[in-house]
Amino acid sequence: MNAADIAKIAGVSRSTVSRVVNNYGNVTEETRSKVLDIIKEYNYVPHASAQMLAGKKSKIMGLFIIDTKDEKEGNKMCTSSYFSPFTDAVIDAANKQRYNVLISMINEDNDYNNVKELFQNKTISAGIFIGAKNNEPAIKEIIEEGYKIAVIEQEVAGEQDPFSKCIVVNSDSFGGGYQATKYLIQLGHKNIAHLCGDMEQLTAISRIEGYKKALLDAGVSIKNNLIVKGDYTEESGYKAVKKLLLKEKLTAIFIANDSMSIGAMRAIEELGLKIPEDISVVGFDDIEVSRHLQPSLTTVRVPLFQMAFMAANNLIKANDENIDFYANYKIPVELIIRNSCKQMEV
Amino acid sequence: MNAADIAKIAGVSRSTVSRVVNNYGNVTEETRSKVLDIIKEYNYVPHASAQMLAGKKSKIMGLFIIDTKDEKEGNKMCTSSYFSPFTDAVIDAANKQRYNVLISMINEDNDYNNVKELFQNKTISAGIFIGAKNNEPAIKEIIEEGYKIAVIEQEVAGEQDPFSKCIVVNSDSFGGGYQATKYLIQLGHKNIAHLCGDMEQLTAISRIEGYKKALLDAGVSIKNNLIVKGDYTEESGYKAVKKLLLKEKLTAIFIANDSMSIGAMRAIEELGLKIPEDISVVGFDDIEVSRHLQPSLTTVRVPLFQMAFMAANNLIKANDENIDFYANYKIPVELIIRNSCKQMEV
DNA sequence: CTGAAAGCGCTTACAG
DNA sequence: CTGAAAGCGCTTACAG
């Protein structure tokens, strides 16, 4: 059952069937309803590929989740606590506008080639990237080929930067790092450590900057031996904090994400220390588990739902209206105070 | 840059370009490598829609996540802790075989029409359903139209049932309910309550059956006032258990999933009772948070990764080889003992 | 408002 | 082993 069949049955031309299907204006009401009836009766659905080949654009957008950490069994789930609400929201936003979303994971650099192919072979007409390292050249290449792109957490380095030619949605990582650290300072802490995230990502870079600025503004000196490196995985949090506590004296630690905080809490506990009595902890992201931890984790909430909606809706708009629309959003974050920090005694 | 351009540059016909692209045998090595070079040089990628229209089948499979609960903000995240590992594994399995996956949520019955359209307009050539209620007629319809389908957690009611014409992957919910309950019995509990899941779903139906059978086998009488209804959401767990504890006397409760267990634990705590000292709790699913709860939750692990791989791989195989392949798997589950249950004193 | 025709970019018998 | 041609199912100027 194709357009020609419908045309024959309805006694009109294929052109007219097409006009009805696409809801164009230049058809009599009578013709339209006659054709519509036949379409319904025979349950005719236009062949998407034929439509595309003839000029319609794809209603499929890509969502690409970058996670190039070496995967142990455990990690996967953790990273997905961050990506999963984002994914849900993208699908939700897309479906509402009759778009579909094709999701793919990027675990190694080579996977970017598959993504590029998806654009080139016209399967998708737009794409969202989340989890990429800052300045990722593979994404820049795709943007430069002229495809419609939205990126989460990317720095735009001036007008020459390809990232200025897409939709960028960032959270205020600097502000979040600042707030988190300031909160610890206000509680009376002096020796506040920081566990960094994967420094290839913008979030990690900005969160540590916020941390440093807060210390600076409060006149607390920055001690480099209190700053340690992680890679955003739970395991890295565990190791880094265990090592740190064995060497340094501190009463509080600001950790660049919640997954590492979970590992850190395990390390602290294993060393016989109590949270928050001995060590105060602030995380970042507010993933689902954080409110269920013992003690519940004080953290900075990143509004991933909202960011997903902005990325998806802007992208769809640009695609539907066939316009070049570029933007650079910075979404505010919020400190969520729970039970992992305590006021220092005076 | 299309096949005709490549053909002209390489000095061959479009047919030959097509043969090279599709890696057919009947081309001289010389011709092949010449064409391949040109393709690489000009970065030619065949138009996916044109290929499909000319007869190739779609390399996109659909993944449909059914969640028809009334959505409050909170629920969404909870349900996704169950779906998210499954989704990850499906994408992983698909990508490994050069398939892409298009994900869509079904929040109301009407959304099934969009799914059907995706098959009818040939965007996807196969699909996986997870979260559907048992016996879902909308899915039956799709199977009956002849599309390649895999379904998670569905009962197959004989050879006449449309579900016998697809790939069914179930976990052993009955066995899990049985094990969980038996474990509580062995710990010396007599008054073991059960909080059911959404009874429209096969898992809920089978889990309660396992519970009853375990009691029966142990000679413990089934008390209907100890069996209460939930709908798999955290909130329903909270409400049901609060009400239950106010009325009945019990020392243990087997809860049909972990999300409800989280709500239940909150209810128990609010009533001033301790887990496991006053009430032992066993959940089901082993979602990510469960091991982080306080106390960590004893639960039945459902191997969603494995189920996802079976569904995806079987489906892809059936699609690639263009065969009708039907199967009905029952995947074993495992009781994960943590700290939410205690041995009764003698 | 409507139809005949060209064209989108491939694949696949068919013939050689 | 290779090419000319038909065909996949649409949309969109163009002409009326």
Side-chain angles (χ1 to χ4, degrees):
Chain A
M1 185 61 43
N2 61 28
D5 298 324
I6 299 295
K8 192 175 297 172
I9 298 169
V12 298
S13 69
R14 284 153 50 207
S15 318
T16 297
V17 172
S18 179
R19 288 185 189 106
V20 172
V21 164
N22 290 291
N23 206 21
Y24 291 158
N26 48 0
V27 187
T28 6
E29 245 343 292
E30 198 193 335
T31 313
R32 179 187 306 282
S33 81
K34 181 175 57 184
V35 173
L36 242 23
D37 286 350
I38 308 283
I39 286 178
K40 197 142 292 172
E41 182 180 349
Y42 290 87
N43 197 18
Y44 163 68
V45 178
H47 193 301
S49 291
Q51 288 183 305
M52 288 195 53
L53 192 55
K56 293 280 173 192
K57 74 182 72 168
S58 169
K59 285 285 195 179
I60 303 181
M61 59 185 292
L63 169 55
F64 304 104
I65 298 173
I66 296 102
D67 187 2
T68 47
K69 304 281 176 344
D70 300 326
E71 313 247 339
K72 294 170 239 164
E73 276 308 287
N75 286 349
K76 206 148 199 171
M77 307 277 290
C78 285
T79 59
S80 74
S81 350
Y82 174 78
F83 294 131
S84 144
F86 185 85
T87 303
D88 283 0
V90 167
I91 294 176
D92 208 37
N95 285 179
K96 274 185 185 129
Q97 316 221 32
R98 312 233 59 207
Y99 268 70
N100 287 107
V101 7
L102 185 159
I103 304 188
S104 201
M105 309 290 184
I106 298 180
N107 296 315
E108 42 178 313
D109 280 355
N110 193 35
D111 293 342
Y112 277 109
N113 291 328
N114 300 331
V115 174
K116 209 181 290 182
E117 193 175 329
L118 249 15
F119 282 102
Q120 291 172 150
N121 76 198
K122 309 283 192 294
T123 296
I124 59 178
S125 56
I128 300 179
F129 291 87
I130 183 170
K133 64 184 188 204
N134 201 30
N135 245 300
E136 174 60 52
I139 299 180
K140 287 189 182 179
E141 272 179 41
I142 294 173
I143 295 171
E144 280 176 327
E145 288 187 34
Y147 299 113
K148 299 223 179 317
I149 303 293
V151 195
I152 311 302
E153 307 291 10
Q154 276 289 333
E155 185 175 13
V156 182
E159 295 191 2
Q160 298 306 312
D161 188 345
F163 285 118
S164 68
K165 301 256 177 301
C166 70
I167 295 158
V168 176
V169 182
N170 295 336
S171 61
D172 184 9
S173 290
F174 175 85
Y178 189 93
Q179 274 183 74
T181 310
K182 186 177 172 192
Y183 172 67
L184 289 169
I185 294 168
Q186 286 174 335
L187 288 180
H189 294 277
K190 298 284 184 233
N191 292 309
I192 304 172
H194 177 55
L195 170 52
C196 314
D198 171 3
M199 289 299 283
E200 292 200 314
Q201 296 188 234
L202 176 62
T203 50
I205 298 168
S206 306
R207 287 170 193 182
I208 190 177
E209 278 173 9
Y211 160 81
K212 288 181 174 173
K213 186 65 163 45
L215 293 180
L216 216 62
D217 285 358
V220 179
S221 63
I222 297 173
K223 297 172 192 130
N224 281 324
N225 45 347
L226 286 186
I227 300 178
V228 291
K229 283 195 190 318
D231 65 4
Y232 276 148
T233 65
E234 183 176 329
E235 203 48 29
S236 77
Y238 172 81
K239 286 186 188 151
V241 168
K242 195 140 202 182
K243 212 166 121 187
L244 174 70
L245 286 173
L246 257 16
K247 289 199 312 199
E248 306 292 338
K249 221 176 97 75
L250 54 117
T251 61
I253 179 163
F254 163 48
I255 300 179
N257 82 349
D258 288 355
S259 286
M260 292 196 297
S261 301
I262 293 172
M265 288 168 79
R266 204 172 73 231
I268 292 169
E269 190 182 318
E270 282 184 14
L271 290 171
L273 298 170
K274 287 260 178 223
I275 306 168
E277 291 74 8
D278 302 308
I279 305 278
S280 290
V281 176
V282 180
F284 210 115
D285 284 350
D286 195 26
I287 60 177
E288 173 67 7
V289 284
S290 301
R291 64 193 175 92
H292 293 115
L293 295 172
Q294 189 64 19
S296 59
L297 182 64
T298 292
T299 188
V300 179
R301 178 176 295 163
V302 177
L304 283 168
F305 264 77
Q306 192 186 334
M307 294 169 73
F309 269 84
M310 300 204 66
N313 287 334
N314 278 300
L315 203 52
I316 290 172
K317 192 176 172 201
N319 196 239
D320 278 347
E321 299 177 4
N322 213 5
I323 49 174
D324 288 334
F325 174 71
Y326 310 134
N328 189 342
Y329 299 102
K330 183 157 76 180
I331 311 295
V333 296
E334 184 191 359
L335 181 69
I336 305 292
I337 295 176
R338 297 206 181 92
N339 303 311
S340 60
C341 300
K342 78 150 196 181
Q343 172 81 49
M344 291 293 277
E345 282 123 40
V346 213
Chain B
M1 186 60 46
N2 61 27
D5 298 324
I6 298 295
K8 191 173 299 170
I9 298 170
V12 298
S13 69
R14 284 154 50 208
S15 317
T16 298
V17 172
S18 178
R19 288 185 190 106
V20 171
V21 165
N22 289 292
N23 205 23
Y24 290 159
N26 48 359
V27 187
T28 8
E29 248 338 295
E30 197 194 334
T31 313
R32 181 188 305 283
S33 81
K34 181 174 58 183
V35 173
L36 242 23
D37 285 351
I38 309 283
I39 286 178
K40 197 142 291 173
E41 181 179 349
Y42 290 88
N43 197 17
Y44 163 67
V45 178
H47 193 301
S49 291
Q51 289 182 303
M52 289 194 52
L53 192 55
K56 294 280 174 191
K57 73 182 71 167
S58 170
K59 285 284 196 181
I60 304 181
M61 59 184 291
L63 168 57
F64 304 104
I65 298 172
I66 296 104
D67 186 3
T68 47
K69 304 282 175 341
D70 300 327
E71 315 246 340
K72 293 172 235 160
E73 275 309 287
N75 287 349
K76 206 148 199 172
M77 307 277 288
C78 286
T79 60
S80 74
S81 350
Y82 175 77
F83 295 131
S84 143
F86 185 85
T87 303
D88 283 0
V90 167
I91 294 176
D92 209 36
N95 285 180
K96 274 184 186 130
Q97 315 221 34
R98 314 232 59 208
Y99 267 69
N100 288 107
V101 8
L102 185 160
I103 304 188
S104 200
M105 308 290 184
I106 298 181
N107 296 315
E108 42 177 313
D109 280 354
N110 194 35
D111 292 342
Y112 276 108
N113 291 328
N114 301 330
V115 174
K116 209 180 292 182
E117 194 174 329
L118 249 15
F119 282 101
Q120 291 171 148
N121 75 195
K122 309 282 191 294
T123 296
I124 59 179
S125 57
I128 299 179
F129 291 86
I130 183 170
K133 64 184 188 206
N134 202 29
N135 244 302
E136 174 61 52
I139 299 179
K140 287 188 183 179
E141 272 180 41
I142 294 173
I143 294 171
E144 279 176 326
E145 288 188 32
Y147 298 112
K148 299 224 180 315
I149 303 292
V151 197
I152 311 301
E153 307 291 9
Q154 276 290 333
E155 186 175 12
V156 181
E159 295 192 1
Q160 298 306 312
D161 189 345
F163 284 118
S164 68
K165 301 255 177 303
C166 70
I167 295 159
V168 175
V169 182
N170 295 335
S171 61
D172 184 9
S173 290
F174 175 85
Y178 189 91
Q179 274 185 71
T181 309
K182 187 176 172 192
Y183 172 67
L184 290 169
I185 293 169
Q186 286 174 333
L187 288 179
H189 293 277
K190 298 283 184 233
N191 291 309
I192 304 171
H194 177 55
L195 170 51
C196 315
D198 172 2
M199 289 299 284
E200 291 200 316
Q201 296 187 235
L202 176 62
T203 50
I205 298 168
S206 306
R207 288 168 192 183
I208 189 176
E209 278 173 9
Y211 159 83
K212 287 182 175 174
K213 186 65 164 46
L215 292 180
L216 216 61
D217 285 357
V220 179
S221 65
I222 297 171
K223 297 173 190 128
N224 283 323
N225 45 346
L226 286 186
I227 299 178
V228 291
K229 284 195 190 315
D231 65 4
Y232 277 148
T233 65
E234 182 177 331
E235 202 49 29
S236 78
Y238 172 81
K239 286 186 188 151
V241 168
K242 195 141 202 182
K243 213 166 120 188
L244 173 70
L245 286 172
L246 257 17
K247 288 201 311 199
E248 306 293 338
K249 221 174 99 72
L250 54 119
T251 62
I253 179 163
F254 164 48
I255 300 179
N257 81 349
D258 289 355
S259 287
M260 291 196 299
S261 301
I262 294 172
M265 288 168 79
R266 203 172 74 232
I268 293 169
E269 189 183 318
E270 282 183 15
L271 290 172
L273 299 171
K274 286 261 178 224
I275 307 168
E277 290 75 7
D278 302 309
I279 305 277
S280 290
V281 177
V282 180
F284 211 114
D285 284 349
D286 195 26
I287 60 177
E288 172 67 8
V289 285
S290 301
R291 64 192 175 93
H292 292 116
L293 294 172
Q294 190 64 16
S296 58
L297 182 64
T298 292
T299 187
V300 179
R301 178 176 295 162
V302 177
L304 283 168
F305 264 77
Q306 192 187 334
M307 295 168 72
F309 269 85
M310 300 204 64
N313 288 334
N314 279 299
L315 203 51
I316 289 172
K317 190 176 173 202
N319 197 237
D320 278 346
E321 300 177 4
N322 213 8
I323 51 173
D324 288 335
F325 174 71
Y326 311 133
N328 189 343
Y329 298 102
K330 182 157 76 179
I331 312 294
V333 297
E334 183 190 2
L335 180 68
I336 305 291
I337 295 176
R338 297 205 182 91
N339 302 311
S340 60
C341 300
K342 79 150 195 180
Q343 172 81 49
M344 291 293 278
E345 283 124 40
V346 211

